[in-house]
Amino acid sequence: MKQNNMLAMILAGGRGSRLHDLTNKVAKPAVSYGGKYRIIDFPLSNCANSGIDVVGVLTQYESILLNSYVAAGRRWGLDAKDSGVYVLPPREKADVDLNVYRGTADAISQNIDFIDTYSPEYLLVLSGDHIYKMNYAKMLDYHKANNADATIAVIEVPMQEASRFGIMNTDETGQIVEFEEKPQQPKSNLASMGIYIFDWKILRKMLVADMKDPESSHDFGKDIIPSMLADNRKLCAYKFQGYWKDVGTIDSLWEANMDLLAKNNTLDLNDPSWKIYTEDTTELPHYVGTNAEIKGAYITQGCHIEGEVRNSVLFTGAKVGPNAKVIDSVLMPGAIVEDGAVVTRALVADNIRIGANAVVGSADSDHIELVAKRVKGEE
């Protein structure tokens, strides 16, 4: 069912500095994931599957690739009449040296005129850098049923990890009574997923006031949500059940890929009822040599394997040479592991070559090794 009364805005302008070299030249939402996808495919596919026709993607850092990628709305079926994906970079400002979004709320404020063009009743605000599948239409139904001014998607996290998140404290009805940003001693384990539904008229007034406040950080978590609570607005928590991963670090990006190997993986990228759409690349089927050994691997089209692959994820066009070993690792598109090389607990970036007989990573390492530059091997 089409959600013509709700417009979506995806916040895709974060720098992604914790992904180090992976985001030196590519925006975080454009980083590859799951063999053939990009992170931005998930919120865009969720929008398409939820019946949302118009999606604004707010880009900022290293956005050339991301801009051209999301502009092809046909990938997600968002290219029909009265629908589309629109790239929205920061506006030109004469009074600042660098044109940037000052915060998550400022990103929406700068695009009020774009939103007003469609006169939506509700605005859906999303983070563009999480891996998950969600029916936003069901979240909107919950928002309407509770007559809420804003609804925030939350997920239960282990109590010992709650201090890493923005935490929503609720009463027995699910209404939010307090928001705590990364509290030292959290009162609950309901973590914000960075997914919000607002009544647009109410949010619009608050954004206009926020723009005029010189003391504001222009951020949803730090400013808008606390202001709504202070004004006794009704904010409700929508509890999400399912797979969700914030892939903000090398370790978490590796973990999200490795989760695809689990037998009880709830993400299920092959679910025909909730497809994750992506760029349709033309590649040959994967090739497995006669002496290759494969155990517990996720292999994408175009891969060429002649060595050993164990408990690993290989993206489109990855190659593993004879006598090479890839163990507990992720090879991103076009990565090459030459003859006799050994890769363990590592994430190898796009098109990186690991030379013959080189050794990368360690089974005893506490963190995943990112390989973002060519590793020379034996000549």
Side-chain angles (χ1 to χ4, degrees):
M1 184 178 70
K2 294 294 182 183
Q3 298 296 330
N4 295 314
N5 59 348
M6 184 162 71
L7 183 149
M9 298 288 272
I10 300 178
L11 303 172
R15 192 181 289 275
S17 57
R18 292 181 300 162
L19 288 176
H20 305 292
D21 288 353
L22 289 184
T23 50
N24 277 351
K25 296 180 180 179
V26 176
K28 181 180 174 183
V31 169
S32 299
Y33 166 79
K36 63 179 182 179
Y37 303 94
R38 295 187 186 276
I39 296 171
I40 193 70
D41 288 332
F42 288 83
L44 282 170
S45 296
N46 289 338
C47 286
N49 290 326
S50 300
I52 297 171
D53 294 319
V54 178
V55 182
V57 180
L58 289 75
T59 63
Q60 190 167 218
Y61 300 109
E62 300 296 344
S63 60
I64 294 175
L65 172 63
L66 179 61
N67 290 353
S68 61
Y69 184 75
V70 302
R74 62 185 179 277
R75 292 191 180 114
W76 306 277
L78 294 170
D79 61 338
K81 184 181 178 182
D82 300 324
S83 69
V85 181
Y86 299 90
V87 177
L88 303 169
R91 305 296 178 89
E92 295 289 332
K93 299 190 192 75
D95 58 339
V96 292
D97 295 328
L98 182 63
N99 298 306
V100 297
Y101 289 128
R102 296 172 295 172
T104 54
D106 182 55
I108 303 300
S109 298
Q110 286 194 37
N111 292 285
I112 284 176
D113 56 347
F114 169 80
I115 298 168
D116 282 344
T117 300
Y118 295 92
S119 302
E121 189 174 354
Y122 306 101
L123 185 72
L124 172 67
V125 179
L126 307 168
S127 295
D129 51 9
H130 298 155
I131 304 294
Y132 67 105
K133 295 192 294 189
M134 180 188 284
N135 189 335
Y136 304 132
K138 289 186 177 180
M139 183 175 171
L140 179 59
D141 288 342
Y142 180 87
H143 176 86
K144 291 178 180 178
N146 285 279
N147 196 29
D149 297 316
T151 297
I152 301 170
V154 297
I155 190 167
E156 293 185 1
V157 297
M159 202 66 190
Q160 64 269 24
E161 296 180 17
S163 59
R164 294 172 42 219
F165 298 91
I167 296 298
M168 301 294 169
N169 299 320
T170 63
D171 62 18
E172 62 278 1
T173 69
Q175 185 169 335
I176 297 168
V177 295
E178 184 183 23
F179 170 73
E180 295 182 288
E181 180 64 39
K182 299 181 180 179
Q184 290 280 335
Q185 296 180 319
K187 299 173 186 175
S188 83
N189 65 338
L190 295 180
S192 170
M193 298 171 66
I195 300 170
Y196 314 102
I197 291 178
F198 296 98
D199 279 32
W200 173 236
K201 288 183 179 179
I202 294 172
L203 177 62
R204 192 185 191 284
K205 290 178 181 177
M206 302 202 73
L207 292 174
V208 170
D210 180 75
M211 283 191 290
K212 298 175 182 177
D213 182 0
E215 302 300 319
S216 176
S217 302
H218 311 292
D219 183 84
F220 279 109
K222 295 176 182 177
D223 305 289
I224 300 298
I225 292 171
S227 292
M228 294 187 82
L229 288 171
D231 288 349
N232 293 316
R233 295 288 184 179
K234 188 175 183 181
L235 277 67
C236 291
Y238 177 75
K239 289 187 179 180
F240 174 69
Q241 303 288 333
Y243 183 91
W244 178 77
K245 195 82 168 183
D246 180 349
V247 287
T249 65
I250 295 301
D251 282 12
S252 62
L253 180 60
W254 176 87
E255 288 169 3
N257 278 285
M258 300 302 283
D259 285 344
L260 297 173
L261 301 173
K263 291 182 180 180
N264 61 347
N265 169 35
T266 55
L267 185 60
D268 189 6
L269 295 179
N270 296 315
D271 181 1
S273 67
W274 200 268
K275 292 183 178 179
I276 302 300
Y277 301 95
T278 190
E279 183 177 17
D280 187 16
T281 57
T282 303
E283 289 280 352
L284 294 171
H286 63 260
Y287 169 80
V288 179
T290 54
N291 294 320
E293 294 182 35
I294 301 175
K295 185 176 181 181
Y298 188 99
I299 299 172
T300 318
Q301 65 193 56
C303 290
H304 188 109
I305 304 168
E306 296 186 77
E308 180 182 347
V309 176
R310 217 168 351 118
N311 197 46
S312 296
V313 177
L314 275 59
F315 288 42
T316 304
K319 293 180 173 59
V320 180
N323 300 311
K325 294 183 179 182
V326 177
I327 303 166
D328 299 331
S329 295
V330 174
L331 303 187
M332 300 187 90
I336 297 174
V337 181
E338 294 186 348
D339 304 7
V342 179
V343 180
T344 308
R345 279 180 60 80
L347 190 151
V348 183
D350 301 45
N351 302 310
I352 294 299
R353 181 183 294 268
I354 296 176
N357 297 312
V359 176
V360 173
S362 167
D364 301 324
S365 174
D366 290 334
H367 295 285
I368 301 306
E369 181 164 345
L370 171 64
V371 186
K373 295 180 181 179
R374 180 176 179 177
V375 179
K376 290 186 177 181
E378 296 179 355
E379 298 295 334

